[in-house]
Each structure stands twice: as C-alpha cells, then as structure tokens.
Amino acid sequence: MRGIYSLVSLSLLLGAWAGPVQKRWDFKAIRNPAYPLDVVDKLEESIMPKVEAWMVKRAGKTNNCTLENASVRREWSDLSVDERKEYIRAVLCLQSKPPKAPKNKAPGSLNRFDDFVATHMTMAGMLHSPTNLFAAHRYFIHVYEKALREECGYKGSQPYMNYDRYADDPVNSPLFDGSDSSMGGNGAKSDYPGVPQPFPRPYDKIPAAGGGGCVTEGPFKDMVVSLGPKSTIVRNVPANPRADGLGSNPRCLRRDVNKFSAAGARANYTYMTIMNNTDIDSFYNRYLGQPQLKGDPHPWGIHNAGHYIIGGDPGGDFYCSPGDPVFYFHHGMLDRVWWIWQMQDPEHRVNAVPGQAAMPMPGHGGGHGGMKTRAAAAAAAADVSELVVDLGWTAPPVKLMDLNEQLGGLGGELCYIYV
Ligand SMILES: *[C@@H]1O[C@H](CO)[C@@H](O)[C@H](O)[C@H]1NC(C)=O
Ligand SMILES: *[C@@H]1O[C@H](CO)[C@@H](O)[C@H](O)[C@H]1NC(C)=O
Ligand SMILES: *[C@@H]1O[C@H](CO)[C@@H](O)[C@H](O)[C@H]1NC(C)=O
Ligand SMILES: *[C@@H]1O[C@H](CO)[C@@H](O)[C@H](O)[C@H]1NC(C)=O
C-alpha cells in the first residue's frame, strides 16, 4: 500500500473551472491511491470555486492570506512515509521541551506537549460552550501546529484523520498499525465496559473493541502521560494526586482503537452532517448526534465517534483528551468539516456562531449535560462580538469572531486549506 503515490496537481483538476480570476492557486497534492476519494473528499473539491470566489470578494479588505500561499493540511495517509516520520519527530520534540505552564497551577505538565493538555483541562468550559466549540478548537489546533513549527522546526502542516479511510480496519491502518511511521498502535487488551452514551438502549454505549490497555508499539509506546485522569472511561487508571487533575501522575498511553465508534463517523455521516443542516445550530447539533435520528444504528455524532476511535486514557477523557497526540488529527478533521460547511454558502455561514438552538453536548463518557445546559443558556444570551477565546499560557487571547475565517482570520495568521 505504501510507496506508490500518484502525483496530482490540483490546479490541473481545478483548471477546468471557469473562475473569476486569471491566476489560479496552485499546489501539488499527493494522493494515496489506496484510498479513492469518498463523498466528503469530492464535496471538498467541489467547494474550491466558491472558496476562490470568496477570496476574490474579500480581497483588499483584509490581509496577506491568499490561496497561493495558504498552507495545506493533508490526510495522514496522503503524506509520504518520510513526511509522517518528520511529523512524529516534531511531536516527540514538543514532548521533550520544558513546560511553560505555571508550576503552581499545573505541576503535572512535564513538557510543552502537556501544556496544551493542561490548557484544555483548565479551560474546558470555555472550549466546549456552543459558541466556542468550533472556533476555540480551530485556534487550539493552530497554536499547537505553530508550536511544532516554531519550537521544533516542523515545516509541514498539522495532518488530519479522515475517519472513513480507516473505519473498516483502523487497527491495521497507516495511522494505528504500530509501525514507526504510525501514530502508535492499539492498546493491549483490557476489560472495560465500553463508552457510555446518552441514548436509549441498545445505543447507550459504544462497545469496547478489545484494546484499552497500554500502547506497546510505535513511536509513542514510551510516552509518559502525566496529567489527569479527570473523567476516565477505562479501568485501573491511578488517581491524580490533585483534585483538579493537574498534578503529576506518570503512566502509559492507553487506547482502544475502536471500529464500532468509527462506524458512526463514516463519510455518509459526515456528508449528511454537512449537507442536511443549513443553519449553524442544526449543523452543530447533528455533529454532536442530537437529536437522535430514528433508526440510526450509529448515533454518536461525528464528534464523539471520532473521539472514541481513539478512546482509552487520556484520549477518552473529556478534559484530558489532547493528551493522546491523535486528538489533533481528529479535531483537524472536525475543523475541515466546519470549513466545508461554511464554504457551501460563505456569505451567510462564515460568521455564523452556534447559540440559540444548540442542544447540550452529549457526554464524553457521560455526565457533562449540566455544564452544557448552562453553557447553552449562556450562549443564547451572549453578544458574540464580545466573546474572547483565551488559551491561557499557550497563546494570546483573541476575539472569537476573528477565528471564523480559516483563510485570513487573525489578521492573516490563520491561512490554510484542507485537501
Ligand atoms: C502571498 O501571495 C501573494 C500573491 O498571491 C503575494 O503577493 C504575497 O507577497 C504573498 N505573501 C507572503 C507573505 O508570502
Ligand atoms: C451510513 O451507512 C451505514 C451503512 O454503511 C448505514 O448503516 C447508516 O444508516 C448510514 N447512516 C446515514 C446517516 O446515512
Ligand atoms: C438527508 O437529506 C437527504 C436528501 O434530502 C435525504 O434523502 C436523507 O434522508 C437525509 N438524511 C438524514 C439522515 O436526515
Ligand atoms: C500573514 O501575516 C501574519 C501576521 O503577520 C503571519 O503570521 C502569517 O504567517 C502571514 N501569512 C502568510 C500566508 O504569509
């Protein structure tokens, strides 16, 4: 499967389109022929004329971001083996750099990678309110990518995980096969009861898939997980010495690479989430699996389904989930889905913020409904132009509304596309 790549110039593919400008954005995309384009990939290609027209419309009033110099976030299997190893090197580098989080607040943050986990834990309410979920995670991934580049010399972009590619057999995929160009293998066998989900039986849990123990193969087999747990889904994770989970609690990385969860994140679910929901609240709700669709055999919503493809500890922990490096691949995919949704009708969608009709987020392992209900009430009352996304010690605070434009937000600092 590896080694044979077809070189496709996307500008050639796009050349057939009659666009409003002469000069076309131009980059080389290498696609892995083992994975034919799925319905969402095709949908993404189909938005490019709209993206181009939108950029032309916005030109002048903004900044230095153009399609020519936007960076390109690619799917993991579309990267060459060397590119994957270079990304892994950068993550391991971040895990070896001294932390910047204040020692009194997060003594369990042992390195720069952990700083992001500690941020996600302490800012969980802000990161997961309906108004903030999309934009705050966009910023979170951006500043992580920036740290990989600026602190660890990474020249590429944050890769994403197209769930559909791996849904049949995730354990043997280039992402999880345990090779030195994967993001590590599955966890060892471990008994745990599956992941509770707020749906009636028989959908009240995502079944366990046979892993859940320590990752024993691949580049992250020796990774030390320190922060948390705070809301773990697996058994026998030692308690953190601090009630807030921010103390040091060194242990192994655990995962249950889960095809039952992946079944809820297949391309038909992603496609339907994007195409059947024209207003931002319906899109937000469907992304979270709400309300349950009649007769749906995999009702988790792509957000939860994507999280529990990894599961385990800390990946399955609502607060500590960025402690599994694959978190950024999952939220990259979600960011891509938001972008494709926005670009269906950029005029009306780019600055749409979830709020009035956003439903409570179904628990990550259950139990967060109360927080979400309060957050939803606050969201409905919020003046979005005043909202600030503050990631504490990982990045300067920014206006929420400056994060909506993937191509040009933050005065041009956000400038990337997905392929
Ligand atoms: C981005 O591309 C435009 C051409 O489209 C160019 O004029 C500009 O200098 C580039 N900006 C940077 C920072 O590379
Ligand atoms: C997606 O496809 C699967 C079969 O592969 C089917 O069971 C499921 O109902 C479909 N879901 C949606 C939302 O279309
Ligand atoms: C999505 O929309 C299509 C076309 O209108 C419809 O056939 C399909 O049933 C809808 N799917 C869901 C899950 O609502
Ligand atoms: C545009 O300018 C911003 C802010 O100075 C910078 O961070 C970003 O890298 C630039 N973007 C491009 C595409 O050159």
Side-chain angles (χ1 to χ4, degrees), residues 99-124:
K100 293 185 185 164
K103 270 274 168 263
N104 59 334
K105 287 202 175 123
S109 180
L110 303 183
N111 56 56
R112 286 289 290 139
F113 178 88
D114 285 351
D115 282 353
F116 290 84
V117 185
T119 299
H120 193 269
M121 293 170 73
T122 50
M123 317 266 170

Side-chain angles (χ1 to χ4, degrees), residues 13-252:
L13 286 175
L14 300 177
W17 294 328
V21 278
Q22 208 63 23
K23 174 122 180 66
R24 295 203 167 271
W25 56 287
D26 174 36
F27 66 88
K28 303 269 187 275
I30 300 168
R31 296 279 196 183
N32 186 329
Y35 301 99
L37 300 191
D38 64 40
V39 285
V40 177
D41 296 328
K42 288 179 187 160
L43 182 62
E44 181 180 64
E45 286 200 352
S46 78
I47 67 176
M48 292 315 298
K50 286 185 193 169
V51 174
E52 197 170 21
W54 177 242
M55 294 300 281
V56 170
K57 192 159 184 188
R58 287 173 53 250
K61 74 173 173 209
T62 45
N63 51 60
N64 61 354
C65 178
T66 66
L67 278 173
E68 284 81 5
N69 48 28
S71 68
V72 180
R73 291 190 183 167
R74 296 162 59 203
E75 214 287 331
W76 181 247
S77 316
D78 288 342
L79 302 183
S80 70
V81 167
D82 283 349
E83 287 169 328
R84 293 176 209 163
K85 287 183 179 168
E86 175 52 16
Y87 177 79
I88 291 162
R89 181 203 61 77
V91 176
L92 291 170
C93 160
L94 211 57
Q95 294 182 342
S96 74
K97 298 262 179 195
K100 293 185 185 164
K103 270 274 168 263
N104 59 334
K105 287 202 175 123
S109 180
L110 303 183
N111 56 56
R112 286 289 290 139
F113 178 88
D114 285 351
D115 282 353
F116 290 84
V117 185
T119 299
H120 193 269
M121 293 170 73
T122 50
M123 317 266 170
M126 183 282 291
L127 278 158
H128 300 94
S129 75
T131 49
N132 291 19
L133 180 68
F134 298 155
H137 281 83
R138 174 169 286 175
Y139 190 42
F140 192 70
I141 300 165
H142 168 69
V143 296
Y144 179 76
E145 177 185 64
K146 197 169 144 139
L148 292 173
R149 286 176 176 160
E150 293 177 359
E151 299 174 44
C152 286
Y154 179 57
K155 301 269 192 298
S157 299
Q158 173 59 43
Y160 68 93
M161 153 170 59
N162 178 354
Y163 318 118
D164 194 80
R165 290 191 178 190
Y166 311 124
D168 287 334
D169 191 11
V171 173
N172 293 306
S173 70
L175 193 53
F176 295 118
D177 67 10
S179 65
D180 59 2
S181 64
S182 72
M183 289 302 289
N186 194 11
K189 193 171 158 36
S190 154
D191 283 332
Y192 80 102
V195 189
Q197 292 292 292
F199 299 108
R201 286 163 94 170
Y203 306 115
D204 56 340
K205 67 177 176 204
I206 302 173
C214 296
V215 169
T216 58
E217 289 180 324
F220 298 97
K221 68 177 168 35
D222 300 321
M223 179 179 157
V224 175
V225 175
S226 168
L227 294 155
K230 232 185 145 185
S231 63
T232 191
I233 56 164
V234 286
R235 290 182 169 144
N236 303 320
V237 180
N240 194 279
R242 284 172 53 132
D244 63 8
L246 293 164
S248 181
N249 183 24
R251 59 198 192 276
C252 68

Side-chain angles (χ1 to χ4, degrees), residues 257-275:
V257 174
N258 192 324
K259 65 177 181 197
F260 304 117
S261 200
R266 297 222 63 140
N268 64 334
Y269 281 93
T270 307
Y271 186 86
M272 173 273 287
T273 300
I274 297 168
M275 296 306 281

